[in-house]
């Protein structure tokens, strides 16, 4: 089969690999659609260390090709989505309520990290009964694939944010995760959602997904503007959706005492992320910082698919570019360099 790989830090390309085989509890899926994530770029640039000929990609859907003899609920031909995070559900971390950390910190993050990812004609899924979800009729592949990461991570930002009904929320950065955090905040009942973004096309999408106000950090002071919009109180919840030290500091500054900073960002650079001392109440302002890794697993995917099936949300307006798999190198370049007003790149497979 053909696979698109990280050959070494800073270098990607195609190579041929054997079609994977499932273990007793596992499945092999024939890929039909995938999305490119900024995390793929972080990986290629060395964010998780050196990798050699590792198949990239962690957002994919497809058709079950083969299952292990102990798989009960899935059969060849089933149309499925698999979360970007595929936990080991028997691990102690999973039993303690943190499946994304099974096997160690970020241990549920297997695709394009500890095993080959989904940018290939076929990919392997561990613990199929627990990590696959059947896609309902009426939900197309190009929509369902957003459940794998963008919906799951963005909604996590809202879920971890302890948003009160009618509460105030600021979402810093309106990339795909931030846009889904904005949508998630609206679904959670926020009364005021503030999107922080400078790119006009992303500002427009933010409004479509529920932002009541847009703050452009290139033309105004974010901290001052957010405090103005909240009667000088600060927001109940600030969702950091970029993964930058400066943005994290802003999140602390705009969160009211007793509020929550919900972090979804991937900090791929630097040794430290700083907390501004005074705005943190010198450590005593009752500001909670929550973090998380994209929740995975079958139940999570089924719930997200239900949101799509019930027409609560349509993530496909985020798809600005579509490429066939044979043009993966160009697709990756567009995503990596964020050219041509890119928001999200969809890759289709024969």
């Amino acid at each position: 089969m053909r696979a698109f790989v990280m050959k070494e830090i800073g270098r990607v390309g195609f190579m041929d690999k054997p079609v994977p085989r499932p273990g007793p509890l596992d499945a092999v899926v024939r890929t039909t659609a995938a999305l490119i994530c900024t995390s793929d770029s972080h990986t290629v640039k060395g964010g998780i260390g050196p990798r050699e000929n590792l198949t990239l990609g962690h957002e994919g859907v497809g058709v079950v090709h083969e299952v292990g003899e102990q798989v009960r609920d899935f059969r060849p031909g089933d149309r499925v989505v698999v979360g970007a995070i595929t936990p080991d559900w028997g691990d102690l971390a999973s039993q303690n309520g943190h499946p994304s950390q099974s096997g160690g910190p970020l241990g549920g993050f297997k695709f394009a990290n500890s095993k080959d990812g989904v940018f290939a004609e076929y990919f392997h899924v561990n613990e199929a009964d627990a990590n696959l979800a059947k896609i309902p009729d009426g939900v197309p592949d190009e929509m369902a694939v957003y459940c794998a990461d963008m919906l799951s991570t963005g909604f996590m930002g809202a879920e971890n944010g302890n948003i009160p009904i009618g509460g105030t929320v600021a979402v810093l950065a309106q990339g795909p995760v931030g846009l889904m955090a904005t949508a998630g905040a609206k679904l959670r009942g926020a009364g005021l959602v503030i999107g922080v973004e400078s790119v006009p096309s992303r500002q427009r999408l933010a409004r479509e997904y529920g932002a009541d106000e847009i703050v452009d950090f290139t033309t105004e002071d974010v901290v001052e503007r957010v405090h103005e919009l909240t009667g000088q109180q600060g927001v109940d919840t600030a969702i950091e959706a970029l993964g930058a030290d400066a943005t994290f500091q802003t999140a602390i500054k705009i969160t009211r005492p007793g509020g929550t900073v919900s972090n979804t960002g991937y900090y791929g650079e630097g040794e430290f992320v700083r907390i501004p001392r005074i705005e943190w109440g010198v450590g005593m302002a009752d500001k909670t910082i929550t973090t998380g890794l994209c929740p995975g697993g079958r139940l999570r995917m089924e719930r997200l698919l239900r949101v799509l099936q019930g027409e609560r949300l349509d993530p496909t307006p985020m798809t600005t570019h579509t490429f066939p798999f044979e043009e993966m190198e160009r697709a990756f370049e567009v995503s990596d360099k964020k050219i041509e007003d890119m928001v999200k790149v969809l890759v289709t497979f024969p």
Side-chain angles (χ1 to χ4, degrees), residues 207-224:
R207 290 192 183 278
E208 289 183 14
Y209 285 122
D212 302 291
E213 299 283 347
I214 300 293
V215 177
D216 185 340
F217 63 88
T218 66
T219 61
E220 53 192 331
D221 184 284
V222 174
V223 177
E224 289 182 5

Side-chain angles (χ1 to χ4, degrees), residues 150-173:
M150 298 300 96
L151 262 72
S152 194
T153 300
F155 284 9
M156 176 197 72
E159 291 163 329
N160 287 353
N162 193 31
I163 300 170
I165 292 177
T168 55
V169 179
V171 183
L172 290 92

Side-chain angles (χ1 to χ4, degrees), residues 311-348:
E311 299 183 355
R312 303 291 197 275
L313 177 73
D314 180 4
T316 59
M318 292 191 292
T319 303
T320 52
H321 295 73
T322 302
F323 292 91
F325 182 51
E326 58 264 29
E327 296 180 21
M328 187 71 202
E329 291 184 351
R330 175 59 178 165
F332 192 83
E333 180 186 25
V334 169
S335 178
D336 180 49
K337 297 180 179 178
K338 294 181 171 56
I339 58 179
E340 300 174 3
D341 213 14
M342 186 280 302
V343 177
K344 198 71 174 173
V345 176
L346 176 72
V347 179
T348 59

Side-chain angles (χ1 to χ4, degrees), residues 273-291:
V273 177
R274 295 171 294 174
I275 296 174
R277 184 178 63 88
I278 297 300
E279 291 86 354
W280 196 34
V282 295
M284 295 178 286
D286 286 332
K287 296 188 182 186
T288 299
I289 299 171
T290 65
T291 70

Side-chain angles (χ1 to χ4, degrees), residues 3-347:
F4 186 74
V5 307
M6 171 182 171
K7 295 185 177 181
E8 59 186 5
I9 290 178
R11 195 161 67 95
V12 298
F14 282 103
M15 69 178 296
D16 291 326
K17 291 189 175 186
V19 175
R21 296 298 307 276
L25 297 172
D26 307 333
V28 172
V29 175
R30 176 177 60 80
T31 319
T32 58
L35 292 167
I36 304 176
C37 183
T38 302
S39 297
D40 295 308
S41 293
H42 288 317
T43 297
V44 171
K45 292 171 183 174
I48 56 175
R51 299 291 190 275
E52 182 178 346
N53 294 332
L54 179 75
T55 303
L56 293 165
H58 54 263
E59 302 178 59
V61 298
V63 175
V64 174
H65 173 69
E66 186 178 4
V67 297
E69 61 267 25
Q70 295 183 36
V71 174
R72 303 184 308 273
D73 298 333
F74 296 89
R75 294 291 179 267
D78 288 341
R79 197 164 61 99
V80 294
V81 59
V82 55
I85 305 305
T86 53
D88 297 310
W89 289 95
D91 186 85
L92 291 178
S94 296
Q95 295 177 40
N96 200 32
H98 302 285
S100 296
Q101 316 302 328
S102 62
L106 313 187
F109 172 31
K110 301 183 188 303
F111 289 135
N113 180 15
S114 60
K115 65 182 283 186
D116 281 337
V118 305
F119 292 164
E121 294 173 312
Y122 298 87
F123 63 91
H124 175 275
V125 181
N126 62 294
E127 298 190 31
D129 283 329
N131 285 320
L132 291 178
K134 294 178 183 177
I135 301 173
D137 293 339
V139 177
D141 288 357
E142 60 268 23
M143 180 182 287
V145 70
Y146 275 97
C147 294
D149 188 353
M150 298 300 96
L151 262 72
S152 194
T153 300
F155 284 9
M156 176 197 72
E159 291 163 329
N160 287 353
N162 193 31
I163 300 170
I165 292 177
T168 55
V169 179
V171 183
L172 290 92
Q174 294 292 314
V177 168
L179 289 167
M180 291 301 93
T182 295
K186 182 179 181 181
L187 288 169
R188 299 283 285 188
L192 173 66
V193 180
I194 304 166
V196 179
E197 181 56 62
S198 65
V199 179
S201 61
R202 297 185 180 210
Q203 292 177 346
R204 176 183 56 77
L205 282 170
R207 290 192 183 278
E208 289 183 14
Y209 285 122
D212 302 291
E213 299 283 347
I214 300 293
V215 177
D216 185 340
F217 63 88
T218 66
T219 61
E220 53 192 331
D221 184 284
V222 174
V223 177
E224 289 182 5
R225 181 59 176 149
V226 169
H227 278 91
E228 178 184 333
L229 289 168
T230 58
Q232 304 304 319
Q233 297 298 306
V235 292
D236 294 300
T237 304
I239 302 175
E240 205 286 351
L242 182 64
D245 177 57
T247 311
F248 182 78
Q249 290 188 58
T250 298
I252 297 289
K253 293 175 182 178
I254 63 176
T255 301
R256 66 165 176 79
T260 301
V261 175
S262 177
N263 183 76
T264 68
Y266 177 148
Y267 296 85
E269 299 178 351
E271 289 297 311
F272 302 100
V273 177
R274 295 171 294 174
I275 296 174
R277 184 178 63 88
I278 297 300
E279 291 86 354
W280 196 34
V282 295
M284 295 178 286
D286 286 332
K287 296 188 182 186
T288 299
I289 299 171
T290 65
T291 70
L293 173 63
C294 170
R298 176 177 172 179
L299 179 61
R300 177 71 170 184
M301 294 300 107
E302 288 177 344
R303 285 174 172 167
L304 297 177
L305 288 165
R306 198 172 298 128
V307 171
L308 302 183
Q309 188 178 28
E311 299 183 355
R312 303 291 197 275
L313 177 73
D314 180 4
T316 59
M318 292 191 292
T319 303
T320 52
H321 295 73
T322 302
F323 292 91
F325 182 51
E326 58 264 29
E327 296 180 21
M328 187 71 202
E329 291 184 351
R330 175 59 178 165
F332 192 83
E333 180 186 25
V334 169
S335 178
D336 180 49
K337 297 180 179 178
K338 294 181 171 56
I339 58 179
E340 300 174 3
D341 213 14
M342 186 280 302
V343 177
K344 198 71 174 173
V345 176
L346 176 72
V347 179

